Amino acid sequence: MTGKRPPATTQDPPATTQDPPEHLHAWCLRHLVDHDAAVQRDPLATGVRQLAIDLHTRLDPAVNGLEALSGLVKHIGDKALHDRAARLAATAPACDWRAMIARALSPYANADVADLRPVVEARRVGVVFTAHPTFALSRAMREALCRIAGDPSSDADLASLPHAPDPHVTLDYELEDVHAAIGRAQDGLRDLSGALYDWLSANAKGEWWTLRPAPILLSTWVGYDLDGRTDIHWAETIRIRLEEKAAQLSEYADMLAAVRAPTLAPLTDRLIRAAAESAAQAALFSGDLDDPDRIVAAANRLTAESPDRITSLTPVIEEINAAIASETDTARRRALFILRAEMDATGLGVASVQLRVNAAQVRSAIQNELGLSAAADFFDRRAVAAAADRAAAARAQPVNFGAIFEEKMTARRQMMLSAEILKHIDEDTPIRFLIAESESPATIMGAVYLARVYGVDHKLDISPLFETPEVLDRGGRFMERLLDEPEYLAYVRQRGRLCVQYGFSDSGRFMGQLAADMAIERLHVLLSRAMAARGVHDVAAVIFNTHGESMGRGAFPGTMEERLDHVLTPWVRARFAHDDVPVHAEVSFQGGDGYLHFGTPALAGNTLCAIAEWAFNVPSGKIDDAFYKDINFSWDIYRGVQTWQEQLFDDPHYQAVLGSFGPNLLPVTGSRKTRRQSGTSATDAARSLRAIPHNAILQQLAAPANVSGGVGLVASREPERFLAHVDGSPRLGRLLRMAAAARNLTSLSILRTYANLYDPAFWTIRAARSADQDTTDCALRIAERLDRKNLDVSIDRLANFLSSDRRRFDAVCNEITRAAQGDSGFPPDLYVLHAARMTLIIHAFSLAGAIPQFSARHDVTRDDLIDMALELRFADVADILAEVFPAVPDTPAAFGRLTEKGAPASEERGYPRIVREITQPLHAIDRLIKEITVAICHAYGAFG
């Protein structure tokens, strides 16, 4: 066990169930210190296991210990939340927009409008809001966290807030949250536009008010991402888009009304009527969306010509341009300038839209037309040519809502939806069409063909998502093959942009975060090189790097600037500048964790200001870094980490551990499914689990190996050269800091203690030492069921594998990681939380062993329930027990009409004791374990 702990004190009173949580907390910390000596003497001992036993002995969960443990968990969770809030605030310190713009544009002071136009009007960075299932905190607790981040002395009341999600996280719930986050982001961008106005009015020569700055673009996936989910009806997507249009039109009307320009009053009225019309259209796309009559009524209202209908902001902006040019009042002119900038950036929605489908859906939509019979055929070079020939010959065909209703292929339906959105909702704003798990250039060329068939190629940006090890290895050749195809080149030149997406999240699951990061950086460079080699300087490379808030999803544990430099390195940006290829970066903020950065106006403003400063500060010239000079050694590091991580991922013990009890430690944190539709066996858990639960399980086992693993191996091969490489490389130093942060949140003693709980010997010894026959019988039942699983062996073998690499990591990198992380070590509070969880698990297993035998008519046996309990499915066990052993059976109401008199049935005809002593405690334990899970995730800065 490592990490700093407070010294033992003799002042802490012995813990009792009546102690305040802070006293019990201090008692736990003192006992951890007391156990250190025993841990040093006994290589099989762990302090966390002994503390769990101490807690179980001291706070008998069968009496009133659950209440005391609940208070302890709440106390530590609240403290961890405050620490997390401080880290959140530190990611983006307080910002002065005017000062930031002055620094960014200082080289252009007194420049002419013509020279300023490419600088000011260039799109520099995109912020994309996605709705991955990371809503582990309730909305109220997220609001409290953000208040504390803004003011550590805030009176945010945490007393009544559990560390748990809201009970039902639906798509509508996620939409409410993303709209709130986007609204605060829009406020921040208005401040940016105002600062740009102030600088231009003071420093630019000529008609500076004609400049149309929109350096930051907001986008959203929420309601538009169909990869891995089938619960979003196509008509619901239209409804969401129309509701967002109505909201934004109302916002424009309010902003215009606030200008108080009499000549613009008619335009304000028109925007108000258009907002009402969009809201009425949206209302029709609700209810039974599989009813043809309903769809016809909704479609006819949407497509009908109407004076209240706005599908393009171009004429609106022309009126505002004229008003800006003629306005003499500075305040009004400034307000109109800000409004126009928002219209340019946002269009007829709260943000631009990014639709997402899976590559398999695209392949199934086009394979017959291309004459391809299997997915493997898509990797043939002839497939790209066939798709290109189809694209060249394609002629746009008309689309209506009837065709969408009848279309069964997702990719075609999404293309049709894009056509209808562009025709009837927003003609001006391009739509991103993301294709997940892209592994063949033919898939992208086929999507271009479909875009031309449905007449949307002029406004649709088709983007492959690279995330699997295979495509990360050959992604450079993938893009070269596309760029060698004249039809693809014609398509991106027509659009003026080439869009690609790199998934740090899934790729980090397959090959480890550090290897994935290095592989993705290589693809960035290869893209720049490929475009330059083909003379493609008139097309901007739009690079969308999707990552989450945790290290396991590619987020660097530091400032916002460091995070952005991590996902799009200074070397890459300098390379694009050297190759004279414009680059537009995009980054994601995912779900409840990501929206925290926009949780208050101040946090949103600070976050956007940090992003804007990074975007304006483009590296130029040669970057002196050993990582890029000694490329052979850097390549050895990459291959070493990748090989280690792939060995881990394929290890049967790793698969067994992730597929056993780990998923049931996690609460439901979003509307998307935890597992993929295929590969759901326990032996294939790491592949079937999505990245968020995969990473969350590793966090909950105190083993974030997908971030730190493999570094020990590569560092120990040539330690002196490795350290010299680190000394001469800011890039490698940053990667090592990320690995060190994960290392400091790793405790293999905790992982091994979970193995103890699943060791049959633990339970047989408990049985042998008990003087109570019922307790003995219960323990032996647990031991007998565990003996069939061998899960303790898998956990121990996994811990051994991780331990070998960690030991090498510490031997070579200890001084560096200590300096990078302030010698913080593993947080003692996490030991206490894990010990509390283990105490609960021991008690829950004992309760499961105490379930009495019951008849076979319930289609489940006692052994089945024990096995479910061993998977930590305590709530499921309790629900089944409530049916098998009801507290009081329901008396049919009809019996009240019996005319024959009789004595009432016995009050003991039910099973109140089982409900009181087993069913209800199991429900309470399940809730508390989930709260411990959320409290633990605070230390990692995110869920998964």
Side-chain angles (χ1 to χ4, degrees):
M1 197 179 305
T2 60
K4 288 185 175 180
R5 297 204 193 96
T9 64
T10 57
Q11 287 76 27
D12 293 328
T16 69
T17 55
Q18 286 76 38
D19 274 342
E22 56 269 23
H23 289 181
L24 182 56
H25 183 207
W27 179 88
C28 290
L29 294 176
R30 182 162 60 86
H31 272 241
L32 277 174
V33 175
D34 292 343
H35 293 316
D36 270 348
V39 169
Q40 297 304 317
R41 291 193 304 271
D42 182 357
L44 296 180
T46 69
V48 70
R49 179 182 65 180
Q50 191 56 52
L51 179 58
I53 294 172
D54 291 344
L55 279 170
H56 195 272
T57 303
R58 176 71 64 176
L59 305 172
D60 184 352
V63 184
N64 55 2
L66 289 182
E67 182 179 350
L69 285 170
S70 180
L72 173 67
V73 170
K74 180 74 169 95
H75 173 73
I76 297 175
D78 288 353
K79 179 175 175 290
L81 190 80
H82 276 269
D83 293 340
R84 182 175 177 180
R87 295 195 304 273
L88 173 64
T91 60
C95 164
D96 182 334
W97 280 108
R98 291 169 63 95
M100 189 280 290
I101 290 298
R103 289 191 297 270
L105 298 182
S106 59
Y108 305 97
N110 299 316
D112 290 330
V113 167
D115 295 327
L116 279 168
R117 193 172 301 280
V119 176
V120 172
E121 294 188 346
R123 288 281 169 86
R124 295 178 176 271
V125 65
V127 172
V128 186
F129 295 89
T130 71
H132 289 75
T134 57
F135 295 85
L137 298 182
S138 67
R139 187 175 288 160
M141 183 156 274
R142 277 182 274 128
E143 291 172 353
L145 190 158
C146 291
R147 288 198 300 273
I148 295 168
D151 178 8
S153 63
S154 167
D155 61 352
D157 184 11
L158 300 180
S160 61
L161 297 178
H163 293 265
D166 286 319
H168 302 291
V169 183
T170 63
L171 176 63
D172 285 340
Y173 175 101
E174 293 167 346
L175 282 165
E176 290 173 6
D177 277 6
V178 75
H179 290 157
I182 290 173
R184 286 185 283 267
Q186 287 178 338
D187 289 341
L189 293 186
R190 289 169 196 144
D191 291 338
L192 168 59
S193 297
L196 283 166
Y197 175 95
D198 295 340
W199 189 91
L200 290 170
S201 64
N203 293 278
K205 293 181 179 178
E207 296 181 340
W208 54 267
W209 56 88
T210 64
L211 294 175
R212 309 271 287 269
I216 299 180
L217 178 70
L218 304 181
S219 301
T220 176
W221 278 10
V222 189
Y224 309 103
D225 174 15
L226 296 188
D227 179 37
R229 62 189 305 166
T230 58
D231 60 319
I232 302 178
H233 194 282
W234 65 264
E236 192 170 25
T237 298
I238 293 290
R239 174 185 62 79
I240 293 167
R241 189 67 183 81
L242 285 168
E243 288 175 347
E244 291 175 346
K245 177 180 179 178
Q248 193 62 29
L249 282 167
S250 294
E251 187 69 32
Y252 292 151
D254 290 344
M255 293 173 71
L256 195 56
V259 175
R260 298 184 184 281
T263 58
L264 294 175
L267 180 57
T268 303
D269 291 340
R270 186 181 174 203
L271 292 173
I272 291 172
R273 293 195 306 273
E277 174 62 22
S278 295
Q281 292 169 355
L284 293 176
F285 283 95
S286 59
D288 182 3
L289 300 177
D290 291 319
D291 178 2
D293 291 333
R294 181 177 293 273
I295 293 299
V296 169
N300 286 343
R301 175 70 179 265
L302 175 62
T303 60
E305 292 296 331
S306 167
D308 296 335
R309 180 173 178 252
I310 291 179
T311 59
S312 173
L313 283 175
T314 299
V316 176
I317 291 174
E318 288 175 356
E319 287 191 51
I320 293 175
N321 283 338
I324 292 173
S326 61
E327 184 60 67
T328 57
D329 182 88
T330 300
R332 289 177 178 172
R333 197 181 214 191
R334 188 176 189 271
L336 291 170
F337 184 93
I338 293 170
L339 172 59
R340 184 184 63 186
E342 186 164 334
M343 288 181 168
D344 281 336
T346 306
L348 288 169
V350 297
S352 67
V353 168
Q354 296 199 359
L355 301 174
R356 190 166 79 138
V357 299
N358 192 279
Q361 293 167 328
V362 177
R363 290 197 297 266
S364 66
I366 61 175
Q367 64 181 19
N368 289 338
E369 291 187 58
L370 299 186
L372 304 175
S373 58
D377 293 341
F378 277 81
F379 297 98
D380 192 305
R381 292 182 64 86
R382 291 170 297 180
V384 183
D389 289 344
R390 282 280 185 174
R395 296 294 179 267
Q397 63 185 41
V399 172
N400 66 16
F401 281 96
I404 298 175
F405 187 94
E406 293 183 313
E407 180 58 62
K408 302 305 179 186
M409 292 186 175
T410 300
R412 287 182 178 273
R413 191 171 60 234
Q414 292 300 92
M415 287 285 183
M416 294 179 183
L417 278 178
S418 299
E420 294 297 77
I421 289 171
L422 290 168
K423 280 193 296 182
H424 304 300
I425 299 178
D426 186 348
E427 300 174 20
D428 304 327
T429 307
I431 297 172
R432 186 73 52 81
F433 196 86
L434 303 167
I435 303 178
E437 297 182 338
S438 295
E439 294 188 351
S440 166
T443 303
I444 305 306
M445 200 64 241
V448 173
Y449 159 65
L450 289 178
R452 289 182 175 172
V453 166
Y454 297 113
V456 294
D457 56 304
H458 67 298
K459 286 289 184 180
L460 197 73
D461 290 313
I462 297 167
S463 172
L465 165 55
F466 299 144
E467 54 191 336
T468 63
E470 293 79 9
V471 79
L472 289 179
D473 181 54
R474 53 186 176 79
R477 296 190 297 278
F478 184 117
M479 293 308 302
E480 287 174 357
R481 177 66 187 90
L482 280 175
L483 287 166
D484 284 337
E485 182 52 61
E487 283 304 316
Y488 180 77
L489 205 52
Y491 162 71
V492 295
R493 281 205 157 108
Q494 174 195 21
R495 291 292 310 121
R497 64 188 74 174
L498 183 158
C499 298
V500 289
Q501 180 187 355
Y502 301 98
F504 281 71
S505 181
D506 271 316
S507 58
R509 174 167 61 103
F510 294 128
M511 59 195 299
Q513 269 303 326
L514 268 63
D517 186 67
M518 289 185 271
I520 289 170
E521 182 182 24
R522 172 176 169 269
L523 293 186
H524 291 160
V525 172
L526 291 176
L527 176 62
S528 180
R529 182 188 300 171
M531 293 177 71
R534 289 156 181 79
V536 185
H537 303 289
D538 55 340
V539 172
V542 180
I543 297 179
F544 180 15
N545 291 306
T546 49
H547 58 85
E549 296 308 301
S550 79
M551 295 172 291
R553 308 204 77 211
F556 189 82
T559 65
M560 189 58 61
E561 178 187 7
E562 289 174 322
R563 179 180 301 192
L564 296 170
D565 273 345
H566 178 72
V567 296
L568 193 70
T569 66
W571 176 273
V572 167
R573 299 176 75 201
R575 177 67 194 224
F576 273 96
H578 172 269
D579 289 338
D580 192 26
V581 176
V583 63
H584 172 197
E586 290 186 342
V587 292
S588 59
F589 290 86
Q590 297 186 349
D593 292 332
Y595 302 167
L596 291 174
H597 293 280
F598 301 87
T600 65
L603 283 170
N606 294 342
T607 298
L608 288 170
C609 191
I611 292 172
E613 181 138 33
W614 176 86
F616 274 105
N617 184 22
V618 180
S620 60
K622 187 176 181 181
I623 295 177
D624 187 18
D625 194 309
F627 186 83
Y628 306 105
K629 288 180 180 178
D630 191 355
I631 194 65
N632 289 330
F633 189 66
S634 298
W635 186 248
D636 288 343
I637 294 172
Y638 161 72
R639 287 187 298 185
V641 172
Q642 180 188 23
T643 300
W644 188 96
Q645 288 282 348
E646 288 176 343
Q647 184 181 354
L648 171 69
F649 196 78
D650 291 334
D651 186 276
H653 300 297
Y654 183 73
Q655 298 283 343
V657 172
L658 264 69
S660 55
F661 63 91
N664 297 311
L665 290 170
L666 310 179
V668 176
T669 59
S671 65
R672 193 186 190 198
K673 297 291 186 183
T674 296
R675 291 185 182 273
R676 297 181 183 274
Q677 299 303 307
S678 59
T680 57
S681 67
T683 57
D684 194 31
R687 293 190 185 278
S688 64
L689 283 170
R690 296 190 180 276
I692 291 170
H694 170 275
N695 298 343
I697 292 169
L698 293 179
Q699 291 174 355
Q700 294 304 315
L701 297 179
N706 63 325
V707 180
S708 61
V711 175
L713 173 68
V714 299
S716 63
R717 288 172 173 171
E718 297 180 69
E720 291 82 7
R721 187 177 180 186
F722 182 85
L723 292 176
H725 209 63
V726 173
D727 288 341
S729 171
R731 169 67 168 144
L732 184 57
R734 182 172 284 120
L735 288 171
L736 195 59
R737 278 182 58 199
M738 187 174 190
R743 162 63 187 91
N744 280 339
L745 288 169
T746 299
S747 172
L748 298 183
S749 66
I750 288 174
L751 182 60
R752 292 187 192 280
T753 303
Y754 284 108
N756 294 157
L757 301 187
Y758 282 88
D759 184 351
F762 178 86
W763 294 92
T764 55
I765 292 171
R766 282 174 65 87
R769 292 180 178 176
S770 175
D772 179 74
Q773 188 59 45
D774 288 341
T775 301
T776 297
D777 291 343
C778 292
L780 290 176
R781 289 188 197 108
I782 298 299
E784 189 272 332
R785 301 310 298 175
L786 287 174
D787 200 44
R788 301 165 181 263
K789 297 180 178 296
N790 292 322
L791 186 56
D792 58 315
V793 175
S794 289
I795 298 174
D796 264 331
R797 295 280 176 83
L798 175 60
N800 290 341
F801 182 77
L802 300 180
S803 178
S804 175
D805 186 69
R806 190 191 66 175
R807 177 176 51 78
R808 294 184 181 124
F809 186 111
D810 291 347
V812 178
C813 306
N814 203 29
E815 290 187 12
I816 298 173
T817 56
R818 285 176 181 270
Q821 297 299 321
D823 192 19
S824 57
F826 190 82
D829 282 352
L830 287 186
Y831 284 118
V832 179
L833 287 172
H834 280 282
R837 178 193 277 163
M838 292 168 187
T839 299
L840 292 166
I841 291 173
I842 291 170
H843 183 52
F845 283 2
S846 300
L847 291 175
I851 295 172
Q853 280 287 12
F854 50 88
S855 67
R857 66 185 177 86
H858 297 284
D859 295 325
V860 68
T861 67
R862 178 170 65 180
D863 284 346
D864 293 335
L865 293 181
I866 292 175
D867 288 344
M868 290 170 62
L870 296 179
E871 295 177 356
L872 308 190
R873 295 171 58 190
F874 302 135
D876 292 341
V877 173
D879 289 342
I880 294 173
L881 284 176
E883 295 180 9
V884 176
F885 299 106
V888 179
D890 292 334
T891 299
F895 290 173
R897 298 194 299 272
L898 286 170
T899 57
E900 182 183 15
K901 301 301 181 183
S906 168
E907 292 183 0
E908 294 299 318
R909 67 191 187 281
Y911 304 92
R913 185 184 66 81
I914 292 176
V915 172
R916 182 176 62 252
E917 296 181 5
I918 300 180
T919 305
Q920 291 176 348
L922 282 175
H923 270 303
I925 288 170
D926 183 76
R927 287 192 298 271
L928 189 49
I929 283 178
K930 298 300 197 306
E931 290 188 24
I932 290 173
T933 294
V934 176
I936 287 172
C937 86
H938 291 322
Y940 295 87
F943 180 83

